[in-house]
């Protein structure tokens, strides 16, 4: 049975019809997650929400414990993650208020723990296609049902932050054919793949990055207005995506859920017992056989 996870801002969680809700602390051997998890049901389907920056947005992008967040979701039984977050647009046609269901990433972050594995237990997973296509298909249908202007496909440039890009950087990313820019979806997507969780990103455009000639005319008030409208759209999207995922009879056979099948390199006798113990949720399926 699938359990749908949602990672994003707190405004996403106030969904009509969400019942049997409770906040619960889920401990992780990789440290403290950003916040407690909100468990609930939507139309009988179990859903788990995680505020990526914590409630009240207290954790900056570089200080998010991505490993603890994904590990906690795995321990909560999550099988599919819809990740929603604000981005800047690097393309004229991707206007503020639009959603992009991205399919590729370029990871420019450098100050974050990017793997559950390490010395004592080495693994290499494929990130050729970092987004679960099956999940993206359902999200695309849900967006159409909700009347959301969403574009399928695009490249997300993940920057370290917390500062925004220089003009030279923004122009370089455009030359790289990137479509949107954000600070939070890497290494989140990489860790979800290591944890064998299906993962998809919904990038919500709030403004144009500094490359745009009208960038300096954008006010904070305008950006906040778009953010609030995007939160409304995100709730509508999630409320329609969850039933579609709940009815997906192909979910159990999704290749994302067996990403570690041939990824472990360290022989059983060479594995560090302490690290293996920490990997009980993430990699227990392949380590315990």
């Amino acid at each position: 049975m699938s359990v749908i996870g949602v990672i994003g801002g707190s405004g996403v969680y106030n969904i009509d019809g969400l019942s049997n809700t409770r906040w619960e602390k889920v401990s992780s051997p990789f440290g403290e997650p950003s916040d407690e998890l909100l468990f609930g049901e939507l139309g009988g389907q179990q859903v788990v929400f995680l505020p990526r920056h914590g409630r009240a947005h207290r954790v900056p992008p570089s200080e998010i414990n991505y490993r603890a967040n994904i590990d906690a979701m795995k321990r909560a039984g999550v099988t599919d993650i819809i990740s929603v977050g604000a981005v800047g647009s690097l393309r004229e046609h991707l206007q503020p208020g639009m959603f992009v269901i991205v399919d590729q990433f370029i990871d420019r972050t450098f100050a974050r723990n990017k793997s559950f594995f390490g010395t004592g237990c080495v693994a290499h997973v494929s990130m050729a296609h970092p987004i679960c296509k099956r999940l993206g298909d359902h999200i695309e249908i849900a967006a159409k049902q909700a009347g959301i202007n969403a574009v399928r496909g695009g490249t997300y440039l993940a920057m370290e932050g917390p500062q925004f890009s220089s003009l030279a950087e923004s122009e370089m990313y455009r030359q790289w054919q990137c479509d949107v820019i954000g600070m939070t979806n890497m290494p989140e997507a990489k860790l979800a793949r290591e944890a064998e969780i299906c993962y998809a990103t919904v990038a919500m455009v709030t403004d144009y990055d500094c490359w745009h000639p009208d960038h300096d005319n954008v006010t904070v008030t305008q950006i906040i207005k778009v953010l609030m409208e995007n939160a409304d759209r995100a709730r509508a999207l999630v409320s329609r995506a969850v039933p579609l995922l709940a009815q997906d009879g192909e979910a159990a056979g999704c290749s994302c859920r067996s990403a570690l099948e041939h990824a472990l390199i360290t022989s059983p006798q060479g594995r560090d017992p302490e690290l293996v113990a920490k990997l009980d949720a993430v990699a227990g399926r392949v380590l315990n056989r």
Side-chain angles (χ1 to χ4, degrees):
M1 178 180 177
S2 296
V3 177
I4 314 304
V6 180
I7 301 178
S10 57
V12 179
Y13 311 149
N14 303 318
I15 296 176
D16 291 339
L18 189 65
S19 61
N20 298 323
T21 59
R22 72 183 190 281
W23 287 96
E24 183 177 320
K25 179 180 176 61
V26 178
S27 298
S28 168
F30 294 94
E32 288 294 320
S34 295
D35 207 327
E36 296 178 331
L37 304 185
L38 175 63
F39 292 79
E41 292 181 8
L42 190 61
Q45 169 63 49
Q46 188 175 354
V47 185
V48 181
F49 296 92
L50 172 64
R52 181 185 286 112
H53 298 277
R55 283 168 283 185
H57 202 113
R58 59 186 180 80
V59 187
S62 294
E63 296 180 30
I64 293 171
N65 191 336
Y66 294 94
R67 294 195 300 178
N69 283 354
I70 297 298
D71 181 71
M73 294 291 259
K74 183 76 172 185
R75 292 178 188 280
V78 169
T79 56
D80 303 81
I81 290 177
I82 301 173
S83 173
V84 294
V87 296
S89 170
L90 295 169
R91 299 291 159 203
E92 185 79 47
H93 70 283
L94 300 177
Q95 302 172 355
M98 293 180 66
F99 284 13
V100 182
I101 307 167
V102 305
D103 57 3
Q104 286 293 330
F105 292 98
I106 293 179
D107 186 0
R108 293 276 292 172
T109 65
F110 53 83
R112 310 175 186 190
N113 289 317
K114 299 188 179 187
S115 178
F116 291 109
F117 300 91
T119 302
C121 192
V122 179
H124 302 282
V125 298
S126 173
M127 290 297 294
H129 301 285
I131 295 299
C132 175
K133 182 182 182 302
R134 179 186 60 83
L135 211 53
D137 289 343
H138 290 307
I139 292 171
E140 183 178 18
I141 293 170
K144 290 178 180 178
Q145 291 178 348
I148 296 170
N149 188 0
V151 173
R152 179 70 184 274
T155 298
Y156 179 124
L157 188 289
M159 64 180 294
E160 185 63 49
Q163 301 84 2
F164 293 117
S165 306
S166 69
L167 177 58
E169 289 170 331
S170 188
E171 291 291 3
M172 179 177 69
Y173 301 149
R174 281 167 46 78
Q175 291 177 15
W176 288 357
Q177 302 300 307
C178 297
D179 297 291
V180 295
I181 183 168
M183 301 180 187
T184 59
N185 277 213
M186 280 290 170
E188 193 175 86
K190 291 178 176 177
L191 295 165
R193 179 59 52 83
E194 287 189 345
E196 299 188 322
I197 299 174
C198 297
Y199 180 93
T201 288
V202 179
M204 306 183 296
V205 178
T206 58
D207 63 292
Y208 289 110
D209 203 40
C210 61
W211 66 273
H212 198 281
D214 295 332
H215 171 80
D216 290 339
N217 297 325
V218 178
T219 66
V220 173
T221 301
Q222 289 172 319
I223 292 175
I224 291 176
K225 180 177 183 292
V226 176
L227 277 169
M228 297 302 293
E229 291 171 348
N230 279 350
D232 291 339
R233 297 185 190 100
R235 287 194 296 272
L237 178 65
V238 171
S239 68
R240 286 165 175 78
V242 167
L244 294 174
L245 291 167
Q247 297 162 14
D248 187 346
E250 305 298 321
C254 186
S255 61
C256 300
R257 300 189 184 185
S258 57
L260 292 175
E261 192 63 34
H262 304 291
L264 294 177
I265 303 299
T266 309
S267 61
Q269 61 270 26
R271 294 171 186 167
D272 176 9
E274 185 175 342
L275 178 54
V276 168
K278 292 173 67 175
L279 293 166
D280 62 328
V282 168
R285 185 186 70 83
V286 293
L287 287 171
N288 298 327
R289 63 187 186 188

